[in-house]
Amino acid sequence: DADVTQTPRNRITKTGKRIMLECSQTKGHDRMYWYRQDPGLGLQLIYYSFDVKDINKGEISDGYSVSRQAQAKFSLSLESAIPNQTALYFCATSASQGANSPLHFGNGTRLTVT
Amino acid sequence: GQNIDQPTEMTATEGAIVQINCTYQTSGFNGLFWYQQHAGEAPTFLSYNVLDGLEEKGRFSSFLSRSKGYSYLLLKELQMKDSASYLCAVRDKGSGTYKYIFGTGTRLKVLA
């Protein structure tokens, strides 16, 4: 079973539609992140959360919002999708303690906005 | 500013050794990570360095020089399944919070 689960795995939507991507984890980690990946640009941080009541903007938060409903759940919303939000989206978690705490990624959501 | 550079693409032969370099500039260095990512899949953690020197994990080793802002990932006895992208990431404590900053990745092709 995946420790970090993203739904849906693939989604095609139209410009202007609202869409939510969901992420849940069973790792017991406090910290959760949303990244997008575009060819040639690497992983870019959208939002991150270190606790249920903590939400922080990343490098490219415009056009996105998030909700940390519980320690195990972190969802990403696109209020009005646009074509340049077509990308591969990854949710990730990390432990809050310990210097050697890598990111653990979900399997990704491939989003296409037409 | 923050910047991570790694080669875009490399090619090597099955059974050979390949070294993937990464240079970085950050304001609050707090560790360097290497990830492997097969096409369309999630990145998976390979190695971590926070002190200077070499960390060895089976066929994979990673080296760090903090004074030079330099790391490399060494893959020995290459196998076809090692064809993937390799991502260099730095954890940075700029502005008081830890963030992971990724390079654009090096796509490695292993040829028979």
Side-chain angles (χ1 to χ4, degrees), chain A residues 9 31 33 35 37 40-43 45 48 50 57 88 90 94-95 98-108 110, chain B residues 30-31 33 35 37 39-45 47-48 50 57 85 87 89 91 96-105:
Chain A
R9 291 296 310 276
R31 301 183 176 189
Y33 310 78
Y35 285 88
Q37 188 174 41
L41 289 181
L43 286 158
L45 182 62
Y48 61 103
F50 286 175
K57 292 183 177 181
L88 185 56
F90 286 105
S94 71
N100 179 11
S101 51
L103 293 171
H104 298 263
F105 288 88
N107 285 328
R110 186 169 296 280
Chain B
N30 191 255
F33 299 81
Y35 291 83
Q37 185 179 24
E41 298 183 8
T44 55
F45 169 66
S47 70
Y48 166 76
V50 69
K57 263 188 177 184
S85 287
L87 312 181
R91 185 169 57 206
T97 58
Y98 291 102
K99 293 181 186 175
Y100 298 80
I101 304 160
F102 284 83
T104 54

Side-chain angles (χ1 to χ4, degrees), chain A residues 26-65:
Chain A
T26 58
K27 300 189 77 68
H29 288 167
D30 289 326
R31 301 183 176 189
M32 298 187 74
Y33 310 78
W34 276 104
Y35 285 88
R36 68 175 276 176
Q37 188 174 41
D38 300 273
L41 289 181
L43 286 158
Q44 296 175 277
L45 182 62
I46 306 172
Y47 270 96
Y48 61 103
S49 168
F50 286 175
D51 199 350
V52 173
K53 298 180 181 177
D54 177 71
I55 300 290
N56 304 282
K57 292 183 177 181
E59 312 162 64
I60 54 162
S61 59
D62 287 349
Y64 302 95
S65 63

Side-chain angles (χ1 to χ4, degrees), chain B residues 12-27:
Chain B
T13 305
E14 193 176 18
I17 299 173
V18 71
Q19 177 174 312
I20 302 174
N21 295 325
C22 172
T23 58
Y24 65 87
Q25 291 177 306
T26 61
S27 54

Side-chain angles (χ1 to χ4, degrees), chain A residues 3 23 34 82:
Chain A
D3 294 324
C23 177
W34 276 104
I82 55 177

Side-chain angles (χ1 to χ4, degrees), chain A residues 11-22 63-67 69 75-82 85 111 113:
Chain A
R11 180 72 183 267
I12 300 173
T13 191
K14 293 185 184 297
T15 297
K17 293 291 188 182
R18 184 180 190 277
I19 184 169
M20 180 182 288
L21 309 183
E22 303 200 34
Y64 302 95
S65 63
V66 290
S67 174
Q69 302 95 321
S75 59
L76 176 72
S77 293
L78 287 68
E79 296 301 324
S80 179
I82 55 177
Q85 292 177 313
L111 176 66
V113 184

